[in-house]
Amino acid sequence: MKVIITADSTSDLPQNFIYEREIKIFPLSILLGENSYLDSVEIKPQNIYDYVSETGNMPKTAAVGMAQYYDFFKAASDAGNAVVHIGLSSAISASFQNALIAAQEFKNVYCVDSKSLCTAMGLLVLKACDLRDRGMDAKKIAARINSLVPKVSATFVLDSLEYLHRGGRCSSVAKFGANVLKIKPSIAVDPQTGKMDVAKKYRGKISSVYEQYVSDCLKDAAKADKSRIVIANSGNVPGETIAFAKGLIEGKNEFKEIITADAGCTISSHCGPGTLAIFYIVK
């Protein structure tokens, strides 16, 4: 029985990984006014930033519909295949719940709530691919990935709270305080609940904040699984900052693979440009 690994577009894996590891992606939808676009298929983050700049309106996002999951799961099941689906945190989107409902109709479809986002979620997807390629069956893959969910470190630092604020995810008071005090918050995803909260607060120029954030992440990564680490950004992060992060990681000479990834449209819609993230899995 072939095992198919599927994930929501919010896994934000580079296209070469999706192609080479044979991952099926379900795109969420991005709503700009009355127009709807498939995440990273029909629209890119820069299109969103241009729209916000030109109109002053914020984008909205929509979950993957249950029918989309059902149709794929049915086709896979009818072909005698099994599916392990890894979804965007259920605390953030209804996509996972829709996938779970669709999967109930089939014996060999297993859904895992990543309780994470972006390429932190993508790390779980790649782990599932590793296990599949070693010959593990779908049920055991799902169980193993579920056991790794609490071990995913997902943090990111924001250049601005503007998008979170205007999208209704940050109070005016918090935004005002951040602007006046020149605070750049680092947000962490709680791996137990999948919810986001402020983890650290940095002050100063964003270039210095990026470097401090990366240095802090690598201190915390001492006990990380050294197979992979991700440097992700939502656009407008300077190339020299990405190079600094990569150089610092390479200097440690511990991680076997360093993945640089661009945040997709769903994540970018909520965080805005200039967001930098470091993701890894703890042993």
Side-chain angles (χ1 to χ4, degrees), residues 27-31 36-37 60-65 93-95 266 270:
L28 275 76
S29 295
I30 309 298
L31 310 177
S36 176
Y37 306 90
K60 295 181 180 179
T61 58
V64 180
S93 169
S95 291
T266 300
H270 299 309

Side-chain angles (χ1 to χ4, degrees), residues 158-173:
L158 298 163
D159 181 22
S160 169
L161 286 174
E162 191 67 25
Y163 274 62
L164 284 178
H165 166 65
R166 293 174 65 182
R169 292 172 175 80
C170 170
S171 72
S172 297
V173 173

Side-chain angles (χ1 to χ4, degrees), residues 157 202 205-218 240-241 244-245 248 276:
V157 66
Y202 297 96
K205 294 182 179 179
I206 188 61
S207 57
S208 298
V209 168
Y210 286 144
E211 293 185 2
Q212 186 60 55
Y213 164 74
V214 173
S215 297
D216 288 346
C217 284
L218 293 184
E240 54 265 31
T241 296
F244 169 82
L248 210 58
L276 178 68

Side-chain angles (χ1 to χ4, degrees), residues 77-238:
S77 182
D78 289 348
N81 299 320
V83 177
V84 176
H85 175 71
I86 301 170
L88 174 63
S89 172
S90 60
I92 297 173
S93 169
S95 291
F96 180 75
Q97 186 62 28
N98 290 341
L100 198 62
I101 293 171
Q104 291 175 353
E105 300 292 326
F106 310 99
K107 292 182 179 180
N108 290 308
V109 177
Y110 302 88
C111 294
V112 178
D113 182 352
S114 73
K115 295 184 180 178
S116 196
L117 44 69
C118 199
T119 332
M121 169 187 166
L123 285 172
L124 294 175
V125 177
L126 293 177
K127 279 289 187 183
C129 292
D130 293 341
L131 298 174
R132 174 202 61 194
D133 295 347
R134 293 175 197 163
M136 189 176 287
D137 66 39
K139 185 176 182 180
K140 290 181 179 178
I141 292 173
R144 176 60 178 151
I145 298 304
N146 263 314
S147 73
L148 291 176
V149 167
K151 299 181 179 182
V152 176
S153 174
T155 67
F156 49 94
V157 66
L158 298 163
D159 181 22
S160 169
L161 286 174
E162 191 67 25
Y163 274 62
L164 284 178
H165 166 65
R166 293 174 65 182
R169 292 172 175 80
C170 170
S171 72
S172 297
V173 173
K175 175 176 175 287
F176 175 76
N179 286 341
V180 170
L181 299 175
K182 296 183 179 180
I183 291 174
K184 307 295 184 183
S186 173
I187 308 296
V189 181
D190 185 332
Q192 300 295 331
T193 65
K195 297 180 180 180
M196 296 182 288
D197 202 356
V198 175
K200 295 181 181 179
K201 296 178 180 178
Y202 297 96
R203 290 183 183 178
K205 294 182 179 179
I206 188 61
S207 57
S208 298
V209 168
Y210 286 144
E211 293 185 2
Q212 186 60 55
Y213 164 74
V214 173
S215 297
D216 288 346
C217 284
L218 293 184
K219 290 177 185 176
D220 293 340
K223 297 181 180 180
D225 173 352
K226 297 304 190 296
S227 58
R228 296 183 183 97
I229 188 169
V230 174
I231 306 167
N233 84 95
S234 65
N236 293 0
V237 174

Side-chain angles (χ1 to χ4, degrees), residues 5-15 17-18 23-31 37-45 48 60-65 68-69 85-89 92-93 95-96 99 112 114 116-123 125 232-233 261-270 279:
I5 306 300
T6 70
D8 296 327
S9 61
T10 47
S11 57
D12 290 345
L13 287 166
Q15 282 299 317
F17 283 87
I18 294 171
I23 303 164
K24 162 64 179 177
I25 298 295
F26 294 98
L28 275 76
S29 295
I30 309 298
L31 310 177
Y37 306 90
L38 295 178
D39 182 3
S40 299
V41 176
E42 301 173 331
I43 190 172
K44 300 298 181 185
I48 295 171
K60 295 181 180 179
T61 58
V64 180
Q68 293 169 265
Y69 291 120
H85 175 71
I86 301 170
L88 174 63
S89 172
I92 297 173
S93 169
S95 291
F96 180 75
V112 178
S114 73
S116 196
L117 44 69
C118 199
T119 332
M121 169 187 166
L123 285 172
V125 177
N233 84 95
D262 297 324
C265 295
T266 300
I267 304 303
S268 298
S269 291
H270 299 309
F279 303 131

